[in-house]
Amino acid sequence: TAKLLPSDPTVWKRFGSSVSLQNDVIIVGDEADGFSGGETGAVYVFGFNGLGWTQLQKLVGSNSQPYDRFGSSVALQGTELVISAPEREVGTIDRVGALYVFRLNGALWQEHQYIVSPAMEVQDYLGKSLALSGNLLVAGAPSNWGSSAHVFVRSGDTWTFAHRIVPSSTAIQIEFGTSVAIRRSSIFVGCPNDMVIAGPEGIESGGAVYGFEPDGGQGGGAP
């Protein structure tokens, strides 16, 4: 019924790297936008006007740099939009990743907060995956050096870092954080390279999903 294209199509774009849909709004990430400048990335906002979808806005980070891959993941909830730039360099730490929070102000989305994790490590790729629900935000960080997922909670009008979660298993979780999901206060993290299957060469990758609950019990969400 529809095929959406950006207003500035060029070769080497990756329009559709991520998508989030709510009511009459579609958010589309393009992690390779600005290829000539080094895959900075951008996000496009489309609205439904009763007849079809039209582009309303193109978003970029206020401090975006080449190779950030802004728009790799997007998460939309009400008048709030979270966008990841998983290959952003923070200080002198390579490919740590960062998150951008946009809020709807009138008819336009405006940047509200820039987030980096205090638990960041080199090549974390924070935001390779995103999940947003209520006052809970989870960003996957499938690093080659110690995969994890970072949890943020809303405090007033601002998101603050809560903790970094890792699986209790002693297996190798190189890709832990490749995907994330939230159900109430329960967090589920995908690890497609989890070493759990006995193969001809011993234990090989088969994949797993890990479920987490807040300390103290179910916390309002059973897996």
Side-chain angles (χ1 to χ4, degrees):
T1 58
K3 180 178 180 179
L4 307 185
L5 296 171
S7 58
D8 55 349
T10 61
V11 296
W12 306 115
K13 285 173 71 71
R14 287 183 56 82
F15 180 82
S17 303
S18 58
V19 176
S20 189
L21 169 66
Q22 180 179 271
N23 299 325
D24 291 340
V25 177
I26 293 179
I27 307 296
V28 183
D30 180 355
E31 64 179 8
D33 182 74
F35 181 83
S36 61
E39 300 177 356
T40 303
V43 167
Y44 297 78
V45 180
F46 289 81
F48 189 72
N49 60 12
L51 299 175
W53 295 93
T54 59
Q55 182 178 319
L56 303 178
Q57 201 173 351
K58 179 179 179 179
L59 308 178
V60 295
S62 59
N63 59 353
S64 288
Q65 300 173 356
Y67 305 107
D68 277 358
R69 291 192 176 273
F70 177 90
S72 181
S73 294
V74 293
L76 174 64
Q77 178 182 246
T79 57
E80 188 168 55
L81 169 64
V82 181
I83 302 170
S84 74
E87 296 195 25
R88 179 167 178 78
E89 181 179 290
V90 177
T92 60
I93 307 178
D94 185 39
R95 298 179 184 178
V96 171
L99 309 178
Y100 296 77
V101 179
F102 283 75
R103 297 272 174 84
L104 188 61
N105 185 5
L108 296 176
W109 292 90
Q110 296 179 343
E111 187 176 323
H112 173 74
Q113 187 180 358
Y114 171 70
I115 303 173
V116 294
S117 173
M120 62 187 177
E121 296 179 356
V122 64
Q123 294 186 16
D124 250 3
Y125 300 106
L126 179 73
K128 270 289 188 178
S129 57
L130 289 175
L132 173 63
S133 179
N135 293 321
L136 193 60
L137 169 65
V138 180
S143 168
N144 291 333
W145 305 100
S147 299
S148 63
H150 297 238
V151 181
F152 302 85
V153 295
R154 192 200 311 274
S155 177
D157 200 34
T158 304
W159 290 98
T160 59
F161 174 78
H163 53 273
R164 177 177 180 265
I165 56 178
V166 296
S168 58
S169 169
T170 57
I172 299 173
Q173 298 95 16
I174 296 175
E175 296 180 352
F176 179 85
T178 297
S179 57
V180 292
I182 299 171
R183 181 184 182 272
R184 297 179 184 173
S185 56
S186 304
I187 296 172
F188 293 86
V189 184
C191 183
N193 198 37
D194 193 274
M195 312 293 259
V196 296
I197 303 299
E201 298 181 5
I203 302 299
E204 298 178 355
S205 61
V209 174
Y210 292 82
F212 297 84
E213 296 283 353
D215 288 343
Q218 296 293 331

